[in-house]
Amino acid sequence: MNRREFLQCAAVLVAGAGTVPSAWAMNREQSAFLAARPSYVKQQELTFFSVSQRSAVAAIAEQIIPETDTPGAAEAEVGQFVELMVADWFDDSERQFFMAGLAELESRAVGGFSNLSDAEQLALLEQVEDEVSDAPWFDLGSTLRVWDDSAPFICQLKELVVLGYFLSEVGAKQALQINPMGSFKGDIPLVDAASYAAEMPLRASFGEG
Amino acid sequence: MENAEFDAIVVGSGISGGWAAKELTERGLKVLVLERGKDLRHGADYRGEHAQSWQLPYYGMPDRERNKREYPVQSKSYAFSDANVQFWNNDNDYPYIQTEGKPFDWHRADVVGGRSLLWARQVYRWSEQDFNANSSDGLGNPWPVSYQDIEPWYSYVEKFIGVSGQAEGLSQLPDSEFLPPMEYFALEKTIKGRLQKKLPNVPITIGRCAVLTQAHNGRAPCHYCGPCHRGCSTGSYFSSQSSTLPAANATGNLTLLSNKVVKRLQHDESGAQITGVETVDSQTGEHKVYTAKLFFLCASTLGSTQIMLNSASDKHPNGLANTSGALGKYLMDHAQVSHMAMFVDDVDSYYQGNRPNGLYIPRFRNVDKQDQDADFKRGYGYQAMTLRPDWQMSFNSRGFGAKYKESLRQPGAFWIWVMSSFVECLPYESNGVALHATKKDRFGVPQLVTQFDWGSNEKEAADDSGVQAAKVMRAAGAIGYQTNNHESLRPGGSGIHEMGTARMGDDPAKAVLNKHNQAHGIDNLFITDGSFMASSSCVNPSLTYMAFTARACDYAVKQFKAGKYSG
């Protein structure tokens, strides 16, 4: 973990990381404002990916986070999140890099990624990840930054999928658990093994420093 | 004169201005508060409060492009996010100039309530040693106020704001008037127990914070949602919005105007009395002068100093009350370095709710006497935070599918404990601000030029904080740790504890303000934000601003009622 990463970690801890359920003694007007605010992924039209890119990304997302006893990436609308982030949040060079990576992956999937069998999809993804296994993205502590634009395509896609899943309403409520508020208890048994959802990604506290 | 209805004008509605408004109105004065920022309704306008990740743009990922364009300085703060961006200063609206190679981050709010909405809520009293520091080591101008002078005012403000914490009886960190302390994490109890055995000279206590653990003065106890800096509808942490402004308003003596940028102060022919405040409305551009008999500057450390400098006149050629030349000089901040440890104790223990507070390790270096092995003067304390890692720190692993997914759902198999040292900063003449000769903002106010360097004393203390942190973390039972040194110090201002630039002192040849926070030579002008500080201690400063503000108001109103400020 380098100095910058370390500082970022410290910034997080100073900030504290909060999670809350839907409403608690809030001002009525503010409460109504929040209740009327739809999920980010429902606020925007999807116009950036082609049909085949969209289905490839959705299929990859489901391979990374499949449906188990909890919902998978599709139900959490992870593909929509990835498309919006690539279209809006990425800068030009990040977008270019990502789209080139996606094109390259698609070129390795004869007949289109989403048309491959489950086993073929997984095999291709594992192969692509193998090829970049020495990337610094996999290092301990490399998560403590806002974004790693030097990471290989497959890593960037994986990161977007994970963010899009665990920060979604479905992921936060069903794969993780909402931290009940009302009191603070500092020492309770760890029974339900799921972590608490974060109402904001930790990295939002990192700043650019 | 117009608007003769006001006895007093307070510039700024942040933590100091809110207190000035409360104290002056409660003593019967008709008070006008002028706030540069936008109006903001308590509760109703806390639009990010309790918002969930999926309701935020980009699920709460920082809007990098906008931040770079509009908030390049403000977005460096841990407290800045899309959930409270409306509280912050757009850096393009009020530009300032950083001296090349001597950077200073100036964090500012732009709303009624100011940074009292955004502060970290940690409150610690200064000690006798802190007030004696300048006179005993000579590395600063002597304080004109002793701990005994300010002690009753600490009690006074603490009883109003509500401070949760634990009495410890430490000379270097006097106890406050406490509400019940917050609970420890299991790991923190383990750490404390080991330290008491192995390093009994290192005290450790629950953070002392202006967050309520029980109902207090009509405000509800904390519901532990976590991110206080989004605003708190229940008023469970102290802010001007939740506490002092409503109290001032209840007197019927308060008028508060937002969007009023104060450009300069006007004085009478003698130069010994302030007569009015020149303002411009940030929305309409309307210029207006407000008059009164008594004036309190609470516009933040650099904000007040900018007004004082920009009020230069033939009677005050170097800025108001600046015969000493100290105005704009001796700027301080706290130097912060973070050290991190991993623990595998208490991994079967979890928590519920989010505690907006950590542990505190009070200064234990150079307490009462200089330590033999310390190459630096004064000291530092640590704020310590406990975190259970989750998927956000482990997603960068290999694999796909159910196994990968399940691994991310679990809390990490260890705890992280971070000790952040807050190092006392000495007052250096070379650190400070001045007005730029030609560059002005959109209202014609000359821009501030900042200049700041950490000195060798801060760097050596920062290094020592790493050495001592390693001892503490080892004694506490960490399985691994990493410490840092002065190379990781961020620019001045990053601590958001900027202090000085209008220091107080008995000698008018050396200080801007006297022991009552009253300008030397201008009896009806008081400054009670962080600019009055003559040294910085190592503890968070807001409580001290509040206590000095209340004390100054008490004095000023007695003078006012004795007819000293005829206007």
Side-chain angles (χ1 to χ4, degrees):
Chain A
M1 191 177 291
N2 69 29
R3 182 182 73 80
R4 181 161 165 271
E5 290 157 353
F6 188 87
L7 284 174
Q8 289 169 334
C9 179
V12 171
L13 292 154
V14 172
T19 57
V20 294
S22 53
W24 181 275
M26 288 206 308
N27 177 285
R28 191 175 296 170
E29 184 178 336
Q30 201 264 354
S31 212
F33 168 80
L34 263 192
R37 195 170 186 181
S39 167
Y40 164 64
V41 294
K42 295 192 199 302
Q43 291 169 20
Q44 314 273 331
E45 289 279 321
L46 298 176
T47 56
F48 186 70
F49 288 163
S50 68
V51 172
S52 79
Q53 287 165 341
R54 194 169 291 139
S55 60
V57 166
I60 295 164
E62 195 68 16
Q63 285 293 341
I64 295 170
I65 309 271
E67 184 179 350
T68 53
D69 57 336
T70 56
E75 192 176 334
E77 300 174 297
V78 171
Q80 287 91 317
F81 176 76
V82 173
E83 184 168 345
L84 290 172
M85 291 296 278
V86 172
D88 283 353
W89 193 77
F90 276 3
D91 68 23
D92 288 345
S93 75
E94 288 168 341
R95 194 176 300 115
Q96 224 166 43
F97 176 83
F98 185 93
M99 295 312 290
L102 185 57
E104 204 245 321
L105 182 73
E106 282 198 287
S107 75
R108 293 168 68 170
V110 180
F113 188 91
S114 55
N115 294 326
L116 300 181
S117 72
D118 247 14
E120 287 168 333
Q121 289 184 355
L122 182 60
L124 177 53
L125 290 173
E126 284 177 339
Q127 191 189 335
V128 171
E129 194 170 76
D130 274 346
E131 290 163 8
V132 298
S133 62
D134 58 348
W137 186 83
F138 293 100
D139 293 349
L140 179 70
S142 94
T143 57
L144 301 173
R145 34 64 186 168
V146 174
W147 187 250
D148 178 4
D149 62 6
S150 67
F153 163 75
I154 187 68
C155 299
Q156 294 197 18
L157 178 53
K158 197 174 192 178
E159 187 166 337
L160 283 179
V161 166
V162 169
L163 289 167
Y165 180 72
F166 288 109
L167 296 171
S168 72
E169 183 166 10
V170 164
K173 289 181 173 170
Q174 298 186 52
L176 302 175
Q177 55 172 329
I178 301 291
N179 189 346
M181 61 178 177
S183 64
F184 174 73
K185 297 188 179 82
D187 185 8
I188 61 173
L190 181 57
V191 274
D192 184 340
S195 293
Y196 290 134
E199 96 289 301
M200 173 165 297
L202 282 181
R203 62 185 77 193
S205 321
F206 293 169
E208 307 297 322
Chain B
M1 278 189 163
E2 62 175 326
N3 29 76
E5 67 266 34
F6 300 117
D7 298 318
I9 290 175
V10 175
V11 181
S13 64
I15 220 155
S16 301
W19 265 98
K22 172 184 176 298
E23 295 302 299
L24 297 174
T25 55
E26 287 182 345
R27 285 167 172 77
L29 271 59
K30 296 285 182 190
V31 175
L32 171 65
V33 173
L34 297 169
E35 166 56 50
R36 186 196 68 153
K38 304 174 283 285
D39 189 23
L40 185 80
R41 295 169 299 165
H42 177 58
D45 288 336
Y46 299 157
R47 289 299 166 93
E49 185 186 11
H50 300 172
Q52 302 284 356
S53 56
W54 59 87
Q55 296 179 304
L56 296 166
Y58 316 118
Y59 283 177
M61 291 280 277
D63 187 339
R64 298 173 301 172
E65 196 260 329
R66 180 206 58 197
N67 293 352
K68 195 174 169 187
R69 192 179 64 238
E70 297 178 16
Y71 301 95
V73 176
Q74 308 312 318
S75 62
K76 291 181 178 183
S77 170
Y78 68 88
F80 179 96
S81 80
D82 241 289
N84 68 9
V85 62
Q86 75 274 22
F87 296 170
W88 295 83
N89 183 70
N90 183 318
D91 289 316
N92 298 327
D93 287 348
Y94 299 97
Y96 72 104
I97 298 153
Q98 302 185 49
T99 301
E100 187 77 28
K102 297 176 186 295
F104 188 86
D105 289 338
W106 186 7
H107 290 286
R108 284 180 281 181
D110 194 30
V111 283
V112 171
R115 286 182 296 179
S116 75
L117 288 165
L118 294 164
W119 69 314
R121 310 161 305 282
Q122 294 285 301
V123 287
Y124 301 98
R125 288 189 182 193
W126 279 36
S127 68
E128 200 170 336
Q129 184 177 19
D130 291 322
F131 286 105
N132 290 337
N134 284 355
S135 55
S136 59
D137 62 20
L139 298 172
N141 197 46
W143 276 88
V145 176
S146 69
Y147 179 71
Q148 286 67 34
D149 293 333
I150 201 68
E151 185 178 22
W153 295 101
Y154 275 137
S155 289
Y156 177 77
V157 298
E158 287 159 0
K159 284 176 187 164
F160 182 75
I161 69 177
V163 179
S164 66
Q166 178 70 52
E168 301 282 357
L170 300 166
S171 70
Q172 73 273 39
L173 192 76
D175 294 323
S176 292
E177 307 281 344
F178 288 129
L179 302 179
M182 291 180 183
E183 262 189 43
Y184 283 74
F185 284 92
L187 175 70
E188 295 172 337
K189 286 186 262 184
T190 301
I191 288 172
K192 184 171 177 167
R194 288 174 182 158
L195 290 181
Q196 281 171 336
K197 272 188 207 147
K198 295 182 180 171
L199 290 176
N201 66 319
V202 176
I204 184 164
T205 190
I206 187 77
R208 298 174 175 179
C209 66
V211 178
L212 303 180
T213 48
Q214 61 187 35
H216 186 72
N217 289 339
R219 296 186 283 128
C222 179
H223 52 269
Y224 299 94
C225 72
C228 300
H229 43 262
R230 294 179 176 197
C232 182
S233 290
T234 60
S236 303
Y237 75 87
F238 173 82
S239 67
S240 298
Q241 288 272 3
S242 70
S243 308
T244 44
L245 292 177
N249 208 36
T251 65
N253 292 328
L254 175 71
T255 303
L256 190 152
L257 298 177
S258 50
N259 301 322
K260 296 295 182 191
V261 179
V262 171
K263 299 177 70 176
R264 60 197 304 271
L265 305 181
Q266 297 177 340
H267 59 68
D268 66 4
E269 285 179 15
S270 73
Q273 293 275 308
I274 300 299
T275 54
V277 178
E278 290 179 26
T279 69
V280 57
D281 188 294
S282 64
Q283 305 305 301
T284 65
E286 182 198 10
H287 285 74
K288 191 161 181 179
V289 175
Y290 294 93
T291 60
K293 295 175 180 173
L294 174 62
F295 298 84
F296 268 71
L297 281 186
C298 301
S300 84
T301 291
L302 299 190
S304 289
T305 296
Q306 185 172 27
I307 293 167
M308 293 287 281
L309 288 166
N310 195 41
S311 303
S313 65
D314 52 348
K315 298 286 183 194
H316 296 277
N318 302 314
L320 291 178
N322 192 24
T323 51
S324 64
L327 185 64
K329 294 176 180 165
Y330 307 104
L331 175 62
M332 300 165 282
D333 184 29
H334 286 136
Q336 292 174 259
V337 187
S338 294
H339 319 286
M340 185 173 78
M342 288 168 69
F343 288 83
V344 290
D345 301 289
D346 302 304
V347 289
D348 295 334
S349 174
Y350 210 43
Y351 61 96
Q352 181 181 307
N354 286 296
R355 189 187 67 189
N357 189 20
L359 297 187
Y360 191 64
I361 298 179
R363 171 174 166 182
F364 58 88
R365 297 288 272 160
N366 298 336
V367 174
D368 300 327
K369 59 169 181 30
Q370 181 74 25
D371 289 344
Q372 294 286 315
D373 62 340
D375 296 332
F376 58 92
K377 302 289 185 187
R378 310 198 187 183
Y380 53 82
Y382 298 100
Q383 291 184 25
M385 298 296 286
T386 303
L387 175 79
R388 189 68 181 265
D390 64 10
W391 60 274
Q392 301 189 74
M393 293 171 85
S394 58
F395 64 82
N396 61 334
S397 49
R398 297 191 57 188
F400 299 87
K403 202 173 151 200
Y404 174 74
K405 176 187 176 186
E406 287 310 308
S407 75
L408 298 188
R409 290 181 61 207
Q410 325 287 326
F414 59 97
W415 291 92
I416 288 176
W417 196 56
V418 168
M419 297 171 64
S420 293
S421 56
F422 285 62
V423 178
E424 173 158 3
C425 172
L426 295 175
Y428 302 106
E429 187 176 8
S430 55
N431 283 341
V433 295
L435 297 181
H436 193 274
T438 52
K439 284 193 181 172
K440 296 183 175 177
D441 70 15
R442 63 199 159 126
F443 302 121
V445 178
Q447 293 184 25
L448 272 191
V449 182
T450 58
Q451 173 172 311
F452 194 92
D453 262 332
W454 298 115
S456 59
N457 199 66
E458 290 77 53
K459 290 176 182 170
E460 285 179 20
D463 291 349
D464 187 70
S465 82
V467 173
Q468 299 300 324
K471 285 185 195 167
V472 168
M473 295 186 297
R474 274 198 303 269
I479 57 155
Y481 60 85
Q482 180 171 337
T483 61
N484 279 289
N485 59 34
H486 71 273
E487 287 177 17
S488 65
L489 287 176
R490 288 173 295 163
S494 301
I496 325 186
H497 290 171
E498 72 274 17
M499 291 169 268
T501 68
R503 70 183 181 189
M504 59 160 55
D506 283 331
D507 185 352
K510 293 194 171 160
V512 178
L513 307 172
N514 69 15
K515 65 181 177 182
H516 301 295
N517 292 74
Q518 184 179 30
H520 279 300
I522 309 178
D523 286 353
N524 68 342
L525 176 61
F526 293 76
I527 311 182
T528 69
D529 53 39
S531 53
F532 75 83
M533 304 287 269
S535 67
S536 68
S537 174
C538 64
V539 300
N540 306 55
S542 294
L543 178 69
T544 298
Y545 304 166
M546 293 192 256
F548 273 81
T549 301
R551 179 173 170 271
C553 288
D554 182 65
Y555 174 81
V557 171
K558 284 175 182 154
Q559 299 296 301
F560 180 90
K561 291 190 170 164
K564 297 280 175 67
Y565 310 135
S566 46

